[in-house]
Amino acid sequence: MHLLLQRRGLTQLSLLTIALTLSACKIGGGGGSDDDTPAQTSYKATIERTTFGIPHITADDMGGAGYGHGYAIAEDNLCVLADAFVTFNGERSRYFGPTAAAATMGTFGTPPNLEADFFFRLLTDQAAVDAFKQDQPEDLMELTRGFAAGYSRYVEEIQGGEHAGRHADCRNAEWLQTIDEDDVLRRLIALNLAASSANWVTEITSAQPPAPAAAARALSTPAVAQSQALNADRAAVGREEGIGSNTFAFGGDSTETGRSLLFANPHWYLLGVDRFYQLHMTVPGKLDVSGASIMGAPMVLMGFNDNIAWAHTVSTARRFTLYQLQLKAGDPTTYVKDGVDKPLTAHEITVQVMGDDTNLSDVTRTLYSSEYGPMINLAGLGLPGWSNGAAYTLRDANLENTRAFQNFFAFDKAESLDDFYAKAKEYVGIPWVNTTAIGRDDDRALYSDITVVPNVPDSMLAGCLVPGLGQAVLGLVPGLPLLDGSRAACDWKTDADSVQPGTFGPGKLPSLLSKDYVANMNDSYWLSNPEQPLTGYAGIIGREDYAQSLRTRMGHTLVRERLTGTDGLNGFQATSENIREITLNSRNYSAEQFKAPVLATVCDPEPTGAELQACQILSAWDNTGNLDAVGAHVWTAFWETLQTKLDDQPAVNPYAVPFDANDPINTPRGLSTDASVQNLVQQSFSEAIAQLQTDGVALDASLGEVQFYLKPGEQIPQYGGEGSEGYFTVLRNSYMHVVEFPEGEPVNAYTLLSHSQSSDPASPNYKDYTEAYSQKQWHRFPFTREQIEAERVSKTEISQ
């Protein structure tokens, strides 16, 4: 059940990035390339590890903090990181051949190695790295260079024979290489694109003009994008449902203490380089932050210091738009805009490929870009392909965004909620996630989708959507416009408060401060607080007045029941203790809402055999996905089968009560008594029970006997389920924290990292945190010097 690229000439894509970078005001200090200060070359850090191997890194400067982080994460995850640096450098085919999947899972999907190589060679080439570096402040570059140095030190130790028994998968591999700052920046650029270009790897690398031009220019045959229908999931992070998060932030009016409280719960990758790594970095007087970073990013991306705590959830806003180009007659590589001919830029890229005989050969392909960005092949998605009359290109706001990690780094150092909120509006650099936050001595909770969004107001659509096809795309992927690229009038707009040309400024992006609570479970900004709905924003940011997911409804239900004291727990307000309890209680919203009418349909008249047993089991089931729950997997099998049937018959309405925008948490509800719905329910039940029997899964098994954590070589029971089933406690729970700021006391934080700190089976921290998660054992995080020393299990001093 569940090494380095040689510098090449500047491409048009890179020149576009540089032009936009230099035209925007630099935030947070001078860019790395403009500073005459010599780059730091000596580093020193202390790494103290506490329970579960969490590193607490102390250094005198940012370079030292990065150095400690790079060394510690290499100790824990060397092979995963080394493999990823090969990927982002576009060298997978050289070491692993062209056809294998480029990743187990991650933000750019699982394309073949060769397609991943061409993609990263196109979008993260040296010129793109130079442009990105140009806009970074020196303290961030110090952190980045230090990270590269610390990681490289550990690589050299492994290659020198140290750390015997560790990292068996890569310690002798040719592809295990030291890195420099450019490799780290290339990783950051790739992460920036997780909700945009990275969703379209094979569509970008297979975009070719029609013959005969293709025969002259395409020197290798691209893998055609896999045929599938265009839908909203296809444009989601990782190109799949389930990558997202939950968060609650309570203001003082909703907590027992009268002080704010925050819960962070990303649903993220459990394997691969895009998973979270927990750490704590301290530079006295400058930085003291703990939390999680997506592996390879040198700063904390979500966490807390002694004054601020914050969380992120994947936002519904689109970070790119598609453009249709009108081509010049007789020349499919030239488009016409406002009557002016504009040749596409050709990028001839050569990738080294290892053959079956392990010998290397060169594979060359020509890819193309317009002034907007890379060309894209939509033919595999049921849309028109590149013809002699029209072609398609993608403009990616985050390919032009150099402020993302400045913004995260500024959050790390924020001193109050007002300061945090001001930084969000100053940078507008967060690439694809909502933010919630609380601050010390502040009884407000913040929700923000102040992020990088193409400035395409709804008023622009009537005149700029491609006729017919544009509406069709919007219907399939709400918020994603297909725009007319033949007129400058359809270019993205720039407002007076736009921080980045062509994107919305903070004044047109949603945010909310509340003394009650704010929440997000990956639906739009609309119901961050159902009593204070946010409305009037552009459709490219998200929808309003629409049916919420079952997980969103479960999340708001958990909060409402807590604040009315109807959840069976003591009191009627939020505390750290009861929030830690309810967020892992594994309640199943679909079962709570629909089990009774479903059983009335499938169990009356009384069935026989296995279906009778299933009816008895489900009748006794407590509607949770806890490890001892008997019946959870039976309901899951039924619900998934029913949803597949309903997806195939979109005209069928399964609900007795339709969605009501005035009661969005409780509607739609009830099971329709229409014969077509009743028949689908009965068919789904019978098929699900039969399939469980065919698979040899006992109907009366507890969930802990059939559902295990995704941990290679281990079988650790896992509770919860899929958000589409109405679980708030989902199978992709990764890093979690519950944080509060007691009056006159240090920050009080509880954390979990469900997949554990290390991906090396030889590490003592390969499974310990996972076992704690399986047992719902939250970890009281040691933040102060006294707490760290009391819990310390090791101390390492490193320097160079």
Side-chain angles (χ1 to χ4, degrees):
M1 295 175 91
H2 321 137
L3 97 201
L4 302 174
L5 295 178
Q6 296 299 311
R7 179 168 181 143
R8 297 187 293 274
L10 297 183
T11 65
Q12 184 167 341
L13 279 175
S14 302
L15 288 170
L16 172 65
T17 306
I18 293 170
L20 288 166
T21 298
L22 296 179
S23 66
C25 62
K26 291 182 179 177
I27 300 173
S33 297
D34 289 340
D35 198 327
D36 293 331
T37 305
Q40 183 175 349
T41 57
S42 62
Y43 303 98
K44 181 174 67 174
T46 300
I47 305 170
E48 298 168 279
R49 291 190 183 264
T50 55
T51 306
F52 304 120
I54 300 169
H56 302 257
I57 298 151
T58 306
D60 295 334
D61 49 42
M62 294 299 178
Y67 186 63
H69 180 186
Y71 186 90
I73 197 171
E75 263 191 310
D76 292 326
N77 299 286
L78 178 66
C79 295
V80 171
L81 277 164
D83 180 271
F85 287 126
V86 173
T87 301
F88 301 132
N89 284 331
E91 295 190 313
R92 295 199 64 81
S93 299
R94 171 181 174 181
Y95 294 108
F96 310 118
T99 59
T104 303
M105 57 177 66
T107 56
F108 62 92
T110 58
N113 284 334
L114 185 61
E115 305 311 310
D117 287 344
F118 279 117
F119 176 83
F120 287 113
R121 290 288 184 99
L122 177 68
L123 295 187
T124 65
D125 69 352
Q126 189 61 48
V129 170
D130 289 343
F132 191 85
K133 185 189 306 185
Q134 174 72 27
D135 206 33
Q136 305 312 309
E138 185 56 30
D139 59 351
L140 192 152
M141 287 307 303
E142 289 177 4
L143 188 76
T144 300
R145 287 189 288 264
F147 182 94
Y151 172 89
S152 296
R153 174 193 173 123
Y154 190 80
V155 169
E156 290 169 345
E157 290 177 358
I158 285 286
Q159 292 174 333
E162 299 182 50
H163 312 293
R166 296 296 305 274
H167 311 293
D169 288 345
C170 68
R171 63 180 299 128
N172 297 314
E174 182 187 2
W175 47 268
L176 176 63
Q177 303 284 337
T178 59
I179 63 170
D180 64 14
E181 64 190 75
D182 288 359
D183 295 282
V184 181
L185 296 177
R186 191 171 283 109
R187 192 280 177 272
L188 297 184
I189 295 170
L191 186 56
N192 230 14
L193 308 181
S196 47
S197 295
N199 283 331
W200 309 92
V201 172
T202 56
E203 286 78 10
I204 289 172
T205 62
S206 67
Q208 295 287 291
R217 293 183 174 87
L219 305 182
S220 79
T221 302
V224 177
Q226 183 178 357
S227 179
Q228 64 179 91
L230 181 65
N231 56 42
D233 287 345
R234 183 61 183 72
V237 173
R239 298 170 51 159
E240 63 180 345
E241 181 187 10
I243 299 300
S245 306
N246 300 323
T247 181
F248 298 148
F250 296 92
D253 289 353
S254 296
T255 65
E256 283 191 7
T257 63
R259 304 173 75 82
S260 52
L261 175 71
L262 182 124
F263 166 67
N265 176 206
H267 310 149
W268 203 237
Y269 298 97
L270 305 179
L271 297 172
V273 74
D274 286 314
R275 71 184 204 161
F276 284 112
Y277 184 72
Q278 188 174 357
L279 73 156
H280 181 191
M281 290 190 295
T282 303
V283 177
K286 295 182 179 179
L287 180 72
D288 192 9
V289 64
S290 178
S293 179
I294 295 175
M295 285 171 47
M299 69 291 295
V300 167
L301 300 181
M302 173 170 47
F304 53 90
N305 58 36
D306 203 28
N307 295 297
I308 285 292
W310 73 99
H312 294 303
T313 64
V314 174
S315 162
T316 60
R318 304 303 176 192
R319 312 299 167 174
F320 65 98
T321 67
L322 301 172
Y323 275 93
Q324 183 187 75
L325 303 180
Q326 298 302 313
L327 300 179
K328 181 180 179 180
D331 185 356
T333 60
T334 297
Y335 62 103
V336 182
K337 183 173 180 180
D338 291 331
V340 177
D341 290 353
K342 298 201 166 202
L344 295 175
T345 299
H347 310 269
E348 188 173 293
I349 301 171
T350 298
V351 171
Q352 281 197 313
V353 175
M354 182 175 67
D356 293 339
D357 58 2
T358 72
N359 290 327
L360 296 177
S361 61
D362 289 346
V363 174
T364 300
R365 187 180 299 174
T366 302
L367 300 176
Y368 297 85
S369 63
S370 69
E371 65 186 274
Y372 298 108
M375 301 301 290
I376 184 167
N377 175 18
L378 301 177
L381 299 168
L383 298 174
W386 191 335
S387 70
N388 286 310
Y392 299 88
T393 187
L394 177 151
R395 184 175 178 187
D396 184 341
N398 279 319
L399 194 57
E400 303 168 14
N401 170 22
T402 62
R403 305 172 316 287
F405 299 95
Q406 297 177 46
N407 202 153
F408 286 118
F409 199 34
F411 283 173
D412 288 1
K413 299 177 283 186
E415 298 178 351
S416 68
L417 186 61
D418 284 334
D419 183 30
F420 186 97
Y421 193 21
K423 283 178 165 57
K425 291 185 283 190
E426 176 188 359
Y427 287 88
V428 194
I430 298 300
W432 36 265
V433 287
N434 303 290
T435 302
T436 59
I438 62 169
R440 179 178 290 279
D441 299 326
D442 198 314
D443 60 358
R444 301 168 299 168
L446 170 67
Y447 163 82
S448 167
D449 196 355
I450 298 176
T451 53
V452 179
V453 185
N455 193 334
V456 181
D458 292 348
S459 60
M460 183 174 155
L461 299 183
C464 286
L465 277 185
V466 173
L469 193 56
Q471 286 293 349
V473 170
L474 273 180
L476 295 168
V477 186
L480 178 61
L482 171 57
L483 301 173
D484 181 359
S486 70
R487 295 180 292 132
C490 298
D491 290 350
W492 298 352
K493 308 306 178 187
T494 298
D495 297 328
D497 67 339
S498 295
V499 176
Q500 175 180 316
T503 63
F504 285 118
K508 293 184 178 179
L509 296 165
S511 64
L512 176 67
L513 287 163
S514 175
K515 293 185 179 181
D516 183 19
Y517 83 96
V518 295
N520 187 267
M521 282 68 71
N522 301 126
D523 275 304
S524 77
Y525 55 83
W526 176 41
L527 297 181
S528 299
N529 183 311
E531 308 307 319
Q532 305 173 67
L534 294 169
T535 60
Y537 295 93
I540 197 171
I541 304 172
R543 292 184 290 167
E544 301 167 9
D545 297 340
Y546 73 105
Q548 305 289 280
S549 73
L550 294 180
R551 175 161 57 88
T552 290
R553 293 170 63 184
M554 183 79 263
H556 283 298
T557 297
L558 291 173
V559 172
R560 288 179 165 193
E561 291 182 0
R562 174 80 301 264
L563 300 184
T564 56
T566 57
D567 58 3
L569 302 178
N570 293 330
F572 59 91
Q573 291 179 305
T575 66
S576 173
E577 182 178 14
N578 60 42
I579 293 305
R580 281 180 273 132
E581 182 173 349
I582 70 173
T583 54
L584 294 183
N585 64 19
S586 300
R587 286 171 56 179
N588 184 311
Y589 193 76
S590 65
E592 292 181 7
Q593 296 297 310
F594 300 106
K595 188 179 79 172
V598 164
L599 294 185
T601 298
V602 302
C603 301
D604 186 19
E606 189 173 275
T608 60
E611 290 187 26
L612 174 59
Q613 183 187 14
C615 284
Q616 294 169 339
I617 289 169
L618 288 175
S619 295
W621 174 44
D622 66 357
N623 300 340
T624 77
N626 286 314
L627 294 181
D628 60 355
V630 176
H633 69 295
V634 178
W635 180 262
T636 294
F638 158 73
W639 189 260
E640 290 179 348
T641 304
L642 177 62
Q643 296 310 302
T644 298
K645 291 184 180 297
L646 289 171
D647 289 344
D648 292 339
Q649 301 184 48
V652 174
N653 176 17
Y655 303 110
V657 179
F659 170 70
D660 181 354
N662 294 314
D663 189 16
I665 306 307
N666 299 308
T667 61
R669 64 175 180 269
L671 187 66
S672 171
T673 58
D674 184 87
S676 62
V677 174
Q678 297 287 300
N679 288 336
L680 283 179
V681 169
Q682 182 63 68
Q683 292 170 19
S684 298
F685 186 74
S686 298
E687 289 178 18
I689 302 309
Q691 188 62 54
L692 286 172
Q693 290 187 296
T694 298
D695 293 341
V697 180
L699 298 181
D700 60 353
S702 68
L703 191 62
E705 294 176 298
V706 298
Q707 183 169 276
F708 301 96
Y709 206 84
L710 190 59
K711 183 60 109 172
E714 298 293 332
Q715 200 169 61
I716 301 171
Q718 185 179 16
Y719 49 83
E722 295 290 353
S724 57
E725 198 178 338
Y727 279 106
F728 184 85
T729 311
V730 304
L731 297 175
R732 294 173 187 81
N733 278 355
S734 49
Y735 171 78
M736 306 171 74
H737 66 226
V738 176
V739 183
E740 62 183 343
F741 299 100
E743 186 174 5
E745 298 179 19
V747 59
N748 180 39
Y750 286 83
T751 67
L752 281 169
L753 186 70
S754 65
H755 47 65
S756 295
Q757 284 287 92
S758 178
S759 54
D760 178 14
S763 168
N765 305 120
Y766 177 67
K767 65 177 182 176
D768 52 349
Y769 226 159
T770 308
E771 292 171 333
Y773 176 82
S774 180
Q775 297 161 22
K776 299 186 181 180
Q777 294 179 348
W778 286 86
H779 175 50
R780 172 72 182 273
F781 187 83
F783 187 83
T784 67
R785 170 53 30 202
E786 293 74 20
Q787 291 167 345
I788 294 168
E789 290 179 354
E791 198 175 310
R792 186 171 63 204
V793 296
S794 69
K795 181 178 180 179
T796 303
E797 305 272 359
I798 56 173
S799 63
Q800 78 169 37

